[in-house]
Amino acid sequence: MSHAVRRPVVLPLVLAFTVALTPSCRRESHDSHDHASADHPAAPGIVQRTRANLGERYLVHLIHPDLVRGARASVLVHGTRLDQGTPIGGGDITLVARGPGGAELRFPTRELMPGHWPGDVELPAAGTWTLAIDVNSANGSEEVGLGAIEVHPDAASASRVPAPQAPAGAIPFLFEQQWPVAMRFERVGPRPLTEWLSVSGRVAPRPGGEAHIAAPVSGRLLAPKGGRLPRPGDRVSAGDVIGVVEPHLATSDIVGLQALEYQQHQLRHELDLQQLDAERVLGSARVRIQSGTRELERAERLVAQTLATQQELDRARADLELSRAEESAALASLASVNRLRNEHAEDPVVKAPLLPLIAPIAGIVAEIHAVLGESVESGAKLATILDLSSVWAIAEVPESELSRLGTIADARFRPLGTDERVEAESAPVHVASRVDATTRCVAVAFDVPNAGGRLRSGMLCTFELRLRDHADAISVSKSALAYEQGQPIVYVLVDCETFVKRRLELGLEDNGRVQVLEGLAPGDVIVATRADEVRLAALSSSGKIVEHHH
């Protein structure tokens, strides 16, 4: 901690120095402005010292004189809510002092205005005490330690304590400037960071997820029987007939078809003649059967009366059997003709064959390249089908980064034009074996489920490839960075109202944080937001008198 006389000064030529006692932003310093209140005026010649610390919920700042045993001392507490960057208002703030022999004294303060809490302290024994600020407010309860303080036996010994000098380049930025811009702070310390490689890329169908249907021959594109040609966006199943092609025929093919049609005509004509002949024979046989039946009956009567011979009866029977045989033959011939007619009844009309276009995969029709009735050439692409139930996210890794390809664990990417970040939670499924001659990049592909169809083929993306994890990297929020002539800088807290500038050497970036290779140490407390406000204050305050009263 440091001790400093609080009086109006000219900056930066005369500024009290602030010294950090611990890495927890617990500070004592010479203040650059007067915080004496109407209830607690600063007596002439009294040295006002400050100390501060950053807790989990609150930033607290204590202004006090040198403490003397048994002497009442006026103090002032400033407090900031870390979740909002606003002054502590409401609730209560108590200064806690713990001294020799386990003594604990509590000194309440009162709210003069948000963020300003004056009070009185009187410690009964000289020696080393520890101070803390107990805050109970809207952001919860927390006791923030302020470290050890020496209580002097008398005023003479207190007056011999020298005031430290301010560090070079100290920048005043008062609470009254911090609170309106909701300034926030963070403590520097080791944090887990992941090393990412940022590249561009695209979304593409996985192998087997894109199929092109081409015309098998030159011909005319027609709709499938009983259906229509699909439209872009229609879903099809593997094996569906999406259309047919009627081939164009050469002269020789046409002559062959005409000959086939003539043969079919001749066959039908011959069957008609055979049917007529069979029907004629059948009719004649049936007439003879009727006549022969009567003749047989007559011969049987005559033989019974001995008016005819047995030979005449036998001849009548033979004639009847012959007629019946002719009837059976005619019926068989007629059945054969009908069978042949039925077999050829389904013969198609002689014309060019229709060749089906069959979907090889299930998916969505992405493109149709011809219209109904259009003449197409053999091999011409007629339709494209995409199966996007899962896709490949392909990162284009520059040739200069090839040495890092072996460490890629997984990736995340964001399609251009959206705020959605998609996680590829597995290692690459494919790394190209050649460098693209045009882009000088190597394709690294990740398989990504796409059940909802949110990823579309051809989307451009920005990728972050996860290379390795760092468990204890020193880092700061990107919002903490300001830039001076292109050089990244941050502002380190000295006593909550005084800052110093630090130039940084940066490393990797991860999720809004940047690794610090040089320029900060664990325990430093920095401005996490609105760092440019401090920079502007530094530029505008040079050579001006900084004075602040309550």
Side-chain angles (χ1 to χ4, degrees):
M1 293 183 188
S2 64
H3 303 267
V5 179
R6 299 176 52 80
R7 58 175 63 92
V9 293
V10 177
L11 293 174
L13 298 178
V14 182
L15 184 66
F17 175 57
T18 301
V19 176
L21 280 186
T22 72
S24 62
C25 187
R26 187 161 55 246
R27 314 276 184 184
E28 282 189 354
S29 76
H30 173 68
D31 204 282
S32 58
H33 54 278
D34 188 359
H35 277 281
S37 71
D39 290 349
H40 296 83
I46 296 297
V47 175
Q48 295 285 350
R49 302 185 185 276
T50 65
R51 58 185 59 234
N53 194 12
L54 184 76
E56 295 296 325
R57 300 173 182 270
Y58 301 102
L59 170 67
V60 296
H61 177 243
L62 175 65
I63 301 173
H64 64 90
D66 287 319
L67 299 182
V68 177
R69 177 183 58 193
R72 176 178 175 272
S74 296
V75 298
L76 178 64
V77 178
H78 290 116
T80 298
R81 288 181 54 164
L82 295 181
D83 63 328
Q84 297 178 344
T86 55
I88 299 174
D92 59 78
I93 294 179
T94 303
L95 190 148
V96 182
R98 297 180 176 93
E104 179 176 304
L105 301 177
R106 301 179 69 86
F107 302 96
T109 63
R110 64 181 181 85
E111 183 179 2
L112 182 64
M113 63 181 70
H116 299 77
W117 298 72
D120 295 313
V121 175
E122 183 177 342
L123 300 179
T128 301
W129 292 68
T130 59
L131 299 182
I133 302 296
D134 186 14
V135 183
N136 293 280
S137 189
N139 196 33
S141 300
E142 182 180 21
E143 182 176 291
V144 183
L146 294 178
I149 187 172
E150 192 69 22
V151 177
H152 302 281
D154 51 49
S157 62
S159 65
R160 290 193 292 268
V161 179
Q165 298 299 309
I171 303 166
F173 198 76
L174 311 182
F175 281 108
E176 288 77 11
Q177 294 170 280
Q178 298 171 26
W179 292 329
V181 297
M183 183 171 288
R184 302 187 188 188
F185 305 89
E186 69 176 66
R187 191 188 308 280
V188 176
R191 297 171 182 254
L193 286 184
T194 299
E195 183 176 357
W196 301 88
L197 174 63
S198 296
V199 298
S200 60
R202 68 189 189 281
V203 174
R206 58 183 171 80
E210 180 175 12
H212 301 289
I213 300 177
V217 296
S218 297
R220 191 161 61 102
L221 178 63
L222 301 175
K225 184 177 180 180
R228 61 172 177 82
L229 287 179
R231 301 185 182 94
D234 287 351
R235 184 170 292 277
V236 297
S237 299
D240 285 355
V241 177
I242 68 168
V244 294
V245 174
E246 181 184 62
H248 295 316
L249 299 179
T251 302
S252 59
D253 296 328
I254 295 174
V255 171
L257 289 175
Q258 290 175 342
L260 180 60
E261 183 178 12
Y262 177 74
Q263 291 174 5
Q264 290 180 345
H265 176 73
Q266 286 293 99
L267 177 60
R268 286 192 294 271
H269 179 65
E270 290 176 3
L271 290 175
D272 289 342
L273 291 177
Q274 291 176 14
Q275 181 178 1
L276 290 174
D277 185 60
E279 289 174 348
R280 179 185 60 79
V281 172
L282 178 62
S284 177
R286 286 176 174 172
V287 170
R288 287 196 298 272
I289 289 172
Q290 291 176 358
S291 175
T293 301
R294 290 193 298 270
E295 184 64 26
L296 177 61
E297 291 174 350
R298 176 178 171 278
E300 288 176 342
R301 289 194 304 270
L302 292 175
V303 168
Q305 297 173 6
T306 67
L307 297 176
T309 66
Q310 184 65 37
Q311 183 178 4
E312 289 175 334
L313 179 60
D314 292 340
R315 186 168 53 248
R317 287 175 176 168
D319 289 341
L320 181 59
E321 292 296 329
L322 180 61
S323 297
R324 286 174 175 170
E326 288 179 351
E327 180 190 35
S328 297
L331 287 173
S333 177
L334 188 60
S336 177
V337 169
N338 288 333
R339 185 177 67 255
L340 288 175
R341 187 185 301 280
N342 291 334
E343 288 176 356
H344 291 277
E346 300 298 326
D347 284 351
V349 178
V350 176
K351 61 181 180 180
L354 299 179
L355 303 180
L357 301 174
I358 300 175
I361 63 173
I364 295 175
V365 178
E367 297 174 338
I368 293 291
H369 302 281
V371 298
L372 186 66
E374 181 179 351
S375 292
V376 295
E377 296 296 325
S378 176
K381 186 166 67 173
L382 302 181
T384 299
I385 299 174
L386 296 179
D387 175 11
L388 299 180
S389 57
S390 67
V391 296
W392 272 16
I394 302 176
E396 301 289 349
V397 178
E399 186 176 12
S400 59
E401 303 288 352
L402 290 184
S403 61
R404 307 170 74 182
L405 279 182
T407 64
I408 296 176
D410 52 37
R412 61 193 184 194
F413 62 95
R414 182 177 61 83
L416 295 184
T418 72
D419 294 327
E420 179 185 14
R421 176 177 288 176
V422 182
E423 300 288 339
E425 298 177 350
S426 61
V429 295
H430 171 71
V431 177
S433 58
R434 67 174 62 186
V435 178
D436 186 272
T438 302
T439 64
R440 308 309 302 171
C441 291
V442 170
V444 178
F446 300 86
D447 192 73
V448 181
N450 188 37
R454 67 192 188 283
L455 299 176
R456 300 176 183 272
S457 177
M459 275 183 165
L460 297 179
C461 306
T462 55
F463 282 79
E464 291 179 312
L465 309 181
R466 186 164 68 90
L467 302 181
R468 57 184 175 181
D469 296 324
H470 298 262
D472 54 357
I474 300 299
S475 66
V476 297
S477 301
K478 291 182 69 173
S479 60
L481 297 176
Y483 289 87
E484 193 173 82
Q485 297 179 344
Q487 174 72 33
I489 60 174
V490 294
Y491 292 96
V492 178
L493 216 63
V494 176
D495 75 340
C496 296
E497 291 189 313
T498 306
F499 303 82
V500 292
K501 177 177 66 180
R502 296 274 182 86
R503 296 185 181 275
L504 305 181
E505 181 181 344
L506 303 180
L508 60 94
E509 294 188 20
D510 177 25
N511 199 27
R513 300 193 66 82
V514 186
Q515 182 184 20
V516 177
L517 302 177
E518 188 175 334
L520 290 175
D524 286 341
V525 176
I526 63 171
V527 176
T529 62
R530 311 306 292 266
D532 282 330
E533 298 285 344
V534 182
R535 182 171 179 269
L536 291 175
L539 294 174
S540 64
S541 65
S542 178
K544 294 185 179 180
I545 295 176
V546 179
E547 188 170 1
H548 174 48
H549 296 276
H550 293 295

